[in-house]
């Protein structure tokens, strides 16, 4: 059989195999697939020791705890003021012009706690200045008190819940109040007044845990181990002159309380 005949014979055989379903080429000898699988390299199992160490989460300090420690370490008002100035957890510090600690006679029988410095207070570095401060001074004078008096019986000591001005005089938020409250508590303890005047909603929220100054003003309560009375803030009285009648009643109540507790 010549090569031409071999070609056609092989082609006919191939076509016959295709018709039978043989559609791929195979080797002359069978392939042991099990042997091939056994020859494959096994994947290397990673040990726990080979895993990368977990990334530690950053430890975020609780600003309230930091404030408690800083306040507790202060043994007098000078140290307390320094501790508050060094406290960096309150963002209000970064936008304020001045630190506003207190004004008046530290040994006074009466301590006034306001909300936070306003624009004029931020500029002067003193609490209750400007129109609100002038009205407060007139209110105090009406019952024989003066922030400049040397005699503790006639003097007042004035501070705020927050020593830095909030932007645009906004109301301090709950987080800001909470982190500065330990300093206020220590401030009251070191000044040791006979009674407290809580002027406005923010100090009431801070030490009483409730606001609503129009409902709770004039009601004596116990705060930080001493009598306290909520009053309208002088800035509110400038906006609502009709409320001065209630403020006058509160002032008379304060006068009577001081007389009865001499």
């Amino acid at each position: 059989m010549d090569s031409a005949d071999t070609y056609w014979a092989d082609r006919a055989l191939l076509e016959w195999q295709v018709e039978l379903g043989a559609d791929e080429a195979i080797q002359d000898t069978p392939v042991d697939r099990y042997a091939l699988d056994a020859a494959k390299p096994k994947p290397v199992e990673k040990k726990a020791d080979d895993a990368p160490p977990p990334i530690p989460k950053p430890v975020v300090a609780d600003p309230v705890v930091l404030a408690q420690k800083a306040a507790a370490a202060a043994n007098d008002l000078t140290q307390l003021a320094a501790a508050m100035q060094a406290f960096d957890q309150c963002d209000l510090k970064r936008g304020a012009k001045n630190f506003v600690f207190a004004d008046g006679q530290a040994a006074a029988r009466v301590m006034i706690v306001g909300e936070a410095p306003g624009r004029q207070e931020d500029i002067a570095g003193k609490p209750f200045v400007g129109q609100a401060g002038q009205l407060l001074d007139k209110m105090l004078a009406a019952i024989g008190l003066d922030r400049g008096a040397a005699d503790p019986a006639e003097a007042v000591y004035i501070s705020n819940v927050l020593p830095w001005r909030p932007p645009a005089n906004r109301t301090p938020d709950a987080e800001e109040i909470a982190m500065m409250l330990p300093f206020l508590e220590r401030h009251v303890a070191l000044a040791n007044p006979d009674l407290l005047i809580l002027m406005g909603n923010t100090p009431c929220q801070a030490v009483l845990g409730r606001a609503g100054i129009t409902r709770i003003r004039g009601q004596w309560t116990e705060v930080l181990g001493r009598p306290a009375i909520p009053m309208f803030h002088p800035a509110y009285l400038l906006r609502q002159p009709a409320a001065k009648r209630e403020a006058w009643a509160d002032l008379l109540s304060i006068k009577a309380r001081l007389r009865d507790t001499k």
Side-chain angles (χ1 to χ4, degrees):
M1 184 179 292
D2 58 22
S3 59
D5 293 335
T6 301
Y7 167 79
W8 290 110
D10 291 342
R11 180 172 178 172
L13 180 59
L14 181 58
E15 291 175 351
W16 176 70
Q17 290 175 340
V18 171
E19 290 178 359
L20 291 178
D23 55 0
E24 62 180 76
I26 59 176
Q27 298 179 6
D28 294 336
T29 58
V31 178
D32 186 351
R33 301 294 179 182
Y34 294 102
L36 290 177
D37 292 338
K40 289 181 179 179
K42 294 182 179 180
V44 179
E45 295 183 1
K46 290 185 177 181
K47 298 180 181 180
D49 295 341
D50 297 335
I55 300 175
K57 294 182 179 180
V59 177
V60 179
D62 186 342
V64 176
V65 174
L66 294 177
Q68 289 170 342
K69 292 180 179 179
N75 296 317
D76 55 40
L77 292 174
T78 300
Q79 291 182 8
L80 181 65
M84 292 175 69
Q85 283 184 293
F87 188 69
D88 289 328
Q89 302 300 310
C90 186
D91 289 339
L92 296 179
K93 177 180 179 180
R94 295 163 179 78
K97 293 182 181 296
N98 282 302
F99 170 74
V100 180
F101 183 65
D103 190 24
Q105 169 64 266
R109 297 184 64 196
V110 177
M111 181 173 179
I112 296 174
V113 180
E115 298 183 349
R119 180 176 178 273
Q120 296 297 326
E121 289 79 8
D122 187 34
I123 294 172
K126 294 173 61 175
F128 285 91
V129 297
Q131 285 187 308
Q134 292 170 14
L135 177 56
L136 175 62
D137 290 340
K138 292 178 180 178
M139 293 166 61
L140 295 173
I143 57 172
L145 297 178
D146 184 351
R147 73 168 88 189
D151 184 353
E154 299 175 354
V156 292
Y157 185 59
I158 307 173
S159 187
N160 285 311
V161 176
L162 273 68
W164 299 290
R165 180 196 180 198
N169 290 355
R170 66 163 173 79
T171 301
D173 61 35
E175 182 179 355
E176 293 163 346
I177 293 173
M179 73 173 68
M180 300 309 297
L181 180 57
F183 291 113
L184 174 61
E185 293 172 342
R186 187 62 176 155
H187 203 158
V188 173
L190 291 172
N192 195 27
D194 290 343
L195 61 86
L196 292 172
I197 300 176
L198 307 177
M199 283 196 152
N201 273 319
T202 297
C204 292
Q205 184 66 54
V207 299
L208 298 178
R210 57 197 177 103
I213 191 65
T214 56
R215 298 189 304 273
I216 63 177
R217 54 135 294 271
Q219 300 176 25
W220 285 96
T221 185
E222 191 80 8
V223 169
L224 303 177
R226 65 207 73 234
I229 183 172
M231 280 190 66
F232 289 130
H233 195 284
Y236 175 82
L237 297 176
L238 290 172
R239 299 191 303 269
Q240 302 289 338
K244 289 181 179 180
R245 182 172 183 174
E246 287 85 357
W248 174 241
D250 296 341
L251 289 170
L252 293 178
S253 181
I254 293 168
K255 183 178 181 179
R257 191 77 177 224
L258 290 170
R259 182 184 62 241
D260 296 340
T261 56
K262 283 185 178 180

